[in-house]
Amino acid sequence: MGRKRTKPGKIRLAEVARLAGVSPITASRFFRTPEALSVAKRVRVESAAKELGYVPNLAARALASQRTEVIGVLIPSLTNNVFADVLRGIYDALDGSRYSIQLANTRYSILQEEKLLRLFLAQKPAGLIVTGIDQTAESRSIMESADCPIVQIMEIGSNPIDMMIGFSHYEAGRAAISHLLAQGFGRIGFLGARMDPRVQRRFEGYQATLKQAALLDPRLVVTTTLPSSVKIGGALLADLLSKAPDVDAVFCANDDVALGVLFECQRRRIAVPDQLAIVGFNDLEFMEATVPTLTSVRTNRYEMGRDAAVMLVESIEGRRPQEPIVDLGFKVMERQSSWPRGS
Amino acid sequence: MGRKRTKPGKIRLAEVARLAGVSPITASRFFRTPEALSVAKRVRVESAAKELGYVPNLAARALASQRTEVIGVLIPSLTNNVFADVLRGIYDALDGSRYSIQLANTRYSILQEEKLLRLFLAQKPAGLIVTGIDQTAESRSIMESADCPIVQIMEIGSNPIDMMIGFSHYEAGRAAISHLLAQGFGRIGFLGARMDPRVQRRFEGYQATLKQAALLDPRLVVTTTLPSSVKIGGALLADLLSKAPDVDAVFCANDDVALGVLFECQRRRIAVPDQLAIVGFNDLEFMEATVPTLTSVRTNRYEMGRDAAVMLVESIEGRRPQEPIVDLGFKVMERQSSWPRGS
DNA sequence: CCTTCGCGTGGTAGCGCTGTCAATATTGGC
DNA sequence: GCCAATATTGACAGCGCTACCACGCGAAGG
């Protein structure tokens, strides 16, 4: 019958309470709502906990309170630099807080995302950060009925599940093309890898802007579903040049691709920007170190992660932000690779 | 007195057991040691669980069993591509397994690492993956008394805490320099950023090899504690050229730095490799896409993460690997940037 | 002086699961 | 056909913490 599992060396909350001369529940409150204790007891419990080296048992806490202090984070890729920055923002914001992070990788699959969502929500996280706005209908309904705050990151749209922080990839795509048009380029190609929903929307911005200028030409578009990489950038450019040798500028949906394009130009002795202008996307660190420096659309990835985490925590703790949708914007960083023709 | 907290909609193990017509403990065993059940009951419990959509409560399981199925991972940086690959290996290996990952970032601080170690171990993880072999004495003793398997990754050394997987950065540094010597270069510089312990050991390999060849010259060494980046690569080269204009090759402790060096060469119209050879480290994806292609030391990062996770799981489940130290080696990828002089 | 209020504190009873060990079915050996 | 050995199953009592409620007390109000 039963067992004697209690290890003698184990320091439990009860021991702390005993040493402090209070009831266990009072000691418990010290760790959750210290302001509810009288100053005297607060000090007593604090020193007792310190003396015993007490560390709360999170499993017991989770079981008793029916919730955890875990924030689930779903991102599509661990390799993509873009998400590394977002993650850094999230980790920095949550560093030193009571919350811990549970990270999972959807591999750009909304079905995988749905599966992970079920897995996460079953453990009652304190909050959730998910990437993008293209969840399955099923995922949406799971999240809508979840009883924790949720922040969608990377993009903004019109109907958030709960909260949202990001920017419009469509408008960013438009801005990139408007910049090239303003610089005097007219045969503007599009090179896209992966073609995930966000790349698609940049592409839509590209299309809309060129259509408006009556300069849209499907022969100028080369895409692949392969992941973006420097190498693929070279291949995409090679493909584009064979289809449309008169192209005078390319908008690359990723900076990796833009870097690959730059090297392909070097390989083929195509002058940048005189023969071909290049615009990338995300403004990764290397874009201002290349020769020539590469124009790119800067996105605030670190801030996105950081602010998403802050919004989430505020919301968890009952201080819901006024505005559920935060537009972090973007900025076209104009560099040498898109200098006006013949300047 | 007490409370009625039991939500009616909640599906617990007891419900599954009732529907399956078995005792709760038998249902419990189905999820842990299904082979211990008779086939008939196994089927009954399985279909009952499916019908009810039962999801185990991990907090309760952790509390009752006094252990978790969480694998803690401590890495120094979220930004560095190198760790992204390692992480991908870990996540891939653990995908679909019962284990979940708890990731934390030490920011290259062994004190921060010690703090995180305490935090992690207090929650009784199933296993731990830590980066490198340079823990504090305190950290080491904490880990040695932990009752879970631990894998140190990225490097190998002589006295593992438990298990180890990586390669010798010292030997890798030696190999890079031996390659340059073999190609006929003699004034070989070293450019290092961050100067974390692993970079230090590559540097030691550099020094030892050049000393042996009587070609070591402290003026050829330029380092910074700033994080590695493409931009810093250019700055380091500029610094090196001002101190030692006769340098004919550089070994960059990171590929980012190597890329920055390449661009700085383009900026200064220094021919690579005719005037300056370049060798990088890690063999990131872009190294074979540059113009000229860049020589680098390939390290098996994905495999390192993957195999570390596999070793850990095997060990957790009682199948300790024969050999606690796994050397994954490295390979000098010889490319255009280190072609022999005048070839 | 008594009532009302709210603060600070404590008692009790679980949260949902599993370790231990005993009890029962099943098998094989002679 | 009987007994020991093995395979299955179940009862019980927690794991360490917190939700709920109750209670005592001093201050404010009448």
Side-chain angles (χ1 to χ4, degrees), chain A residues 103-122:
Chain A
L103 176 66
N105 177 355
T106 65
R107 300 156 196 254
Y108 288 100
S109 152
I110 54 174
L111 264 63
Q112 179 70 10
E113 183 178 53
E114 190 178 312
K115 222 166 91 185
L116 290 167
L117 231 29
R118 282 184 212 281
L119 206 70
F120 272 27
L121 287 172

Side-chain angles (χ1 to χ4, degrees), chain B residues 119-157:
Chain B
L119 206 70
F120 271 27
L121 287 172
Q123 304 310 324
K124 302 176 212 280
L128 222 50
I129 294 178
V130 300
T131 302
I133 59 179
D134 299 276
Q135 288 78 22
T136 63
E138 184 63 14
S139 289
R140 266 197 87 94
S141 86
I142 295 172
M143 285 193 275
E144 274 158 1
S145 59
D147 65 346
C148 71
I150 296 174
V151 182
Q152 289 167 287
I153 60 169
M154 298 310 288
E155 278 195 88
I156 53 176

Side-chain angles (χ1 to χ4, degrees), chain B residues 103-114:
Chain B
L103 175 67
N105 177 355
T106 65
R107 298 157 198 256
Y108 288 99
S109 152
I110 53 174
L111 265 62
Q112 178 70 10
E113 183 178 53
E114 190 178 313

